[in-house]
Amino acid sequence: MTTGVVVLNFGEPDEPTRESVLDYLERIFMNNADLEGDTTEAEARERSRQLAERRAPGLIEEYEEIGGSPLDPQAKAQAAALEAELDARGFDATTYVGMQFTEPFIADAVEKAHEDGVDELIGLPVYPLCGASTTVASLEELTEAVNERDWDVPVHEITGWHKHPTYNRIRAENVRAFADEEGIDVADDDTELLFSAHGTPSHYLDEGSRYDVYVEEFCDVMASELGAESYTLGFQNHGNRKIPWTEPDVEDVVADIDAERVVVEPISFMHEQSETLSELDDELREEAEEVGLDFYRVPVPHDDDRFAGVLADLVEPFVADFDPSYYQFRQCQCKDTPGTMCLNAPFSQ
């Protein structure tokens, strides 16, 4: 059997043109239109366009400052590394990159896999922490794209995987190596370890998303791995709509840190993107320095050689056709479609 692995991601414009940024933002706002209540599709599209027009100038400026987003080439490099790793393990698998909000879209990846005639599909979101509008939504889009083509192909869905041991080592060792290079100690009393997580509307948590639980447990493990007795957690929230978001906000917590320096680890990302290169490196740095903190931001280990092995481990039970529970996969609770598997669900449900 030939297997297509659709590596799912968010996407960002690699060129900061007004047209590309507006289209990108409008897709995001339309995808989350139900956050503002019931409305017609026409009203939702008009509202999404209004929100995109309002947000676009600031985001274009951010992209211009960072030279365009590097997310797309980094995602493609990870997909290529995964395909090479699966080939080295003896599996006949092809990887496809599918983005939620920029080209190549998830539907494009499905179409290419269909043209290639693969016998089964695996949806693998490269979101370290499972969220409703990211992990779950991207998999739903994958299934929808398959159904729209009336394609009778088995689809395996993988959701939460932040508990993979090697992934945890990659992140902890990356922080430690960065701190060593900078000559700082994250366990020192004068240094505060700040985990910055991408925020999510509280609506999703109220509906049952366990994203906040995953964030907190991952931070606890990382702090323990790094020997830090305490840490600070903040969320990178986006106030485009007047709705509740996760708390506390990262800008608020950095203002209250009582230390000489802050080391920021962006735990929600496995790529560099505007949220790291602009929101953290520019905006949060400015906030920190205004209150007298020396600011250090840990680079995302997107090109760690071991990461392809992590992704290969996740898809291996499905490619090799053995029971995923052998690798500690269990039925996902965040996306309860039968057969959707993750490493996060409790052993007893």
Side-chain angles (χ1 to χ4, degrees):
M1 290 184 65
T2 58
T3 303
V5 182
V6 184
V7 183
L8 302 166
N9 217 298
F10 199 82
E12 274 195 327
D14 53 9
E15 295 291 337
T17 65
R18 176 175 172 80
E19 181 181 5
S20 63
V21 172
L22 270 175
D23 288 348
Y24 164 70
L25 288 170
E26 189 171 357
R27 291 187 194 103
I28 293 174
F29 291 131
M30 187 63 189
N31 192 61
N32 295 280
D34 60 348
L35 292 173
E36 293 183 308
D38 295 333
T39 184
T40 66
E41 182 175 348
E43 290 171 338
R45 290 199 176 279
E46 176 61 26
R47 174 62 171 158
S48 298
R49 188 68 179 182
Q50 292 173 355
L51 290 169
E53 292 277 2
R54 188 173 70 188
R55 176 71 179 100
L59 188 57
I60 291 171
E61 184 177 343
E62 290 179 16
Y63 286 137
E64 289 175 341
E65 289 175 353
I66 66 176
S69 174
L71 189 155
D72 183 71
Q74 291 178 8
K76 288 178 178 176
Q78 289 173 345
L82 169 59
E83 183 172 316
E85 176 64 23
L86 290 171
D87 180 69
R89 297 186 185 191
F91 299 117
D92 185 6
T94 302
T95 58
Y96 305 88
V97 174
M99 303 289 188
Q100 288 182 266
F101 302 110
T102 56
E103 295 181 343
F105 295 113
I106 294 172
D108 298 331
V110 170
E111 181 62 28
K112 184 63 170 64
H114 182 262
E115 291 174 357
D116 289 346
V118 302
D119 298 307
E120 62 180 352
L121 278 182
I122 300 172
L124 176 63
V126 186
Y127 295 112
L129 298 155
C130 180
S133 63
T134 51
T135 302
V136 175
S138 64
L139 286 168
E140 289 175 343
E141 190 171 341
L142 175 69
T143 302
E144 181 179 349
V146 170
N147 291 338
E148 284 180 352
R149 283 157 182 77
D150 197 24
W151 185 15
D152 184 18
V153 63
V155 179
H156 308 286
E157 298 179 327
I158 301 169
T159 53
W161 48 264
H162 72 269
K163 292 183 179 180
H164 190 292
T166 302
Y167 175 69
N168 282 253
R169 284 194 293 274
I170 289 172
R171 297 305 297 232
E173 290 172 10
N174 183 61
V175 174
R176 192 176 296 114
F178 172 77
D180 289 346
E181 288 176 4
E182 297 293 334
I184 54 181
D185 181 359
V186 295
D188 188 278
D189 289 341
D190 292 327
T191 302
E192 185 67 10
L193 180 61
L194 170 58
F195 293 114
S196 184
H198 196 288
T200 191
S202 301
H203 166 84
Y204 294 124
L205 304 182
D206 295 340
E207 285 198 331
S209 171
R210 303 173 71 231
Y211 176 74
D212 55 338
V213 175
Y214 303 146
V215 167
E216 291 174 5
E217 69 181 11
F218 186 72
C219 291
D220 285 344
V221 170
M222 285 298 98
S224 179
E225 288 271 5
L226 294 166
E229 293 185 2
S230 64
Y231 64 83
T232 298
L233 167 62
F235 291 91
Q236 291 173 242
N237 295 321
H238 295 161
N240 300 303
R241 289 184 169 103
K242 293 182 179 180
I243 56 174
W245 282 69
T246 38
E247 295 181 348
D249 194 275
V250 69
E251 287 88 356
D252 293 336
V253 299
V254 80
D256 294 329
I257 289 176
D258 183 17
E260 293 182 6
R261 66 192 67 84
V262 60
V263 176
V264 181
E265 161 68 337
I267 61 170
S268 293
F269 307 103
M270 203 54 207
H271 308 91
E272 295 288 1
Q273 52 200 90
S274 62
E275 282 92 341
T276 59
L277 299 172
S278 180
E279 289 181 17
L280 296 181
D281 289 356
D282 294 335
E283 297 170 20
L284 191 64
R285 176 186 293 275
E286 183 177 344
E287 297 276 351
E289 291 178 347
E290 282 183 1
V291 295
L293 290 169
D294 292 333
F295 183 91
Y296 300 86
R297 201 269 291 178
V298 181
V300 176
H302 63 88
D303 55 355
D304 190 292
D305 291 340
R306 295 169 292 177
F307 189 54
V310 171
L311 298 180
D313 288 346
L314 294 171
V315 303
E316 186 166 358
F318 307 94
V319 178
D321 194 27
F322 61 83
D323 188 346
S325 66
Y326 184 78
Y327 272 12
Q328 304 302 315
F329 277 104
R330 297 177 291 282
Q331 172 63 49
C332 179
Q333 290 182 316
C334 296
K335 188 177 188 300
D336 59 4
T337 306
T340 300
M341 309 300 286
C342 75
L343 301 180
N344 297 343
F347 283 100
S348 59
Q349 300 182 23

